[in-house]
Amino acid sequence: MDTINPNLIILLGCLVPGLMTGLGALPIFATKNVSQGLLDTLLGSAAGVMLAATCFSLILPSIEYGGGNLQAVLITSLGLFFGAYLIDLIDRYAPHEHLIDKKVEGKNTDSLKEIWLFIIAITIHNFPEGLATGVGFGTDSLKNGITIALGIGLQNMPEGLAVALALVRERYSTKKAFLIALFTGLVEPIGAFLGIFLVQIFQPILPFILALAGGAMLFVISDEIIPETHSNGYERQATYGIIIGFIVMMVLDVTLG
């Protein structure tokens, strides 16, 4: 790792997690019969991976960079709240369609074409993940960025499969479903590069920015992923998936460290 150009690592770290969404969608070319129980378990493990990456690579570093004292904890808490609230505002007021359960949220959605509902939903769901990756790489520790990128990449694979399957069930062609699933991940590098920019420009408030990204991630996990995995009758499998995913990411975090 020491012999590789750090800028190359950062570039790949921002791009590869998004591409892994398409990698996860590839099985639809072989079969469309993926059981809901397996899908919920995979998505649950993805939530666990994201949760661990958020804790170990965003929240804990935020406290550490802030000085590790009560003031640092308060700054981190404030960042977490505002990060979650920011995504909540976007989720509440931007008309969009949840890809898995097909519920529509927002105002005046009747005038929007279906494809734009998909694009808006994709942006809401994946942008904060990309932002978190960029913020991780924007610190002086490549390990944080690599951990988050790895976690989000692993999370994107079952999510890509879930999106592609949902589209195929809505009579999209396999090719089109794959391309749209791939596109959902390609939104993430935009957030990643923005995250790097924010950290470089606002270095004095790095603890707050790390926590802001962490709060955004926590909101996505709680509001989007976990409800999707616990609404089809496979709650127990999904819960164990979350626990296993968290453990796997925790082990990887220690190994990378």
Side-chain angles (χ1 to χ4, degrees), residues 20-39:
M20 290 178 73
T21 306
L23 181 64
L26 284 176
I28 65 167
F29 289 104
T31 179
K32 302 177 180 65
N33 298 318
V34 178
S35 71
Q36 188 64 52
L38 175 60
L39 190 57

Side-chain angles (χ1 to χ4, degrees), residues 19 37 51 94 152 197 232:
L19 294 175
L51 185 59
I152 290 177
F197 172 78
N232 302 299

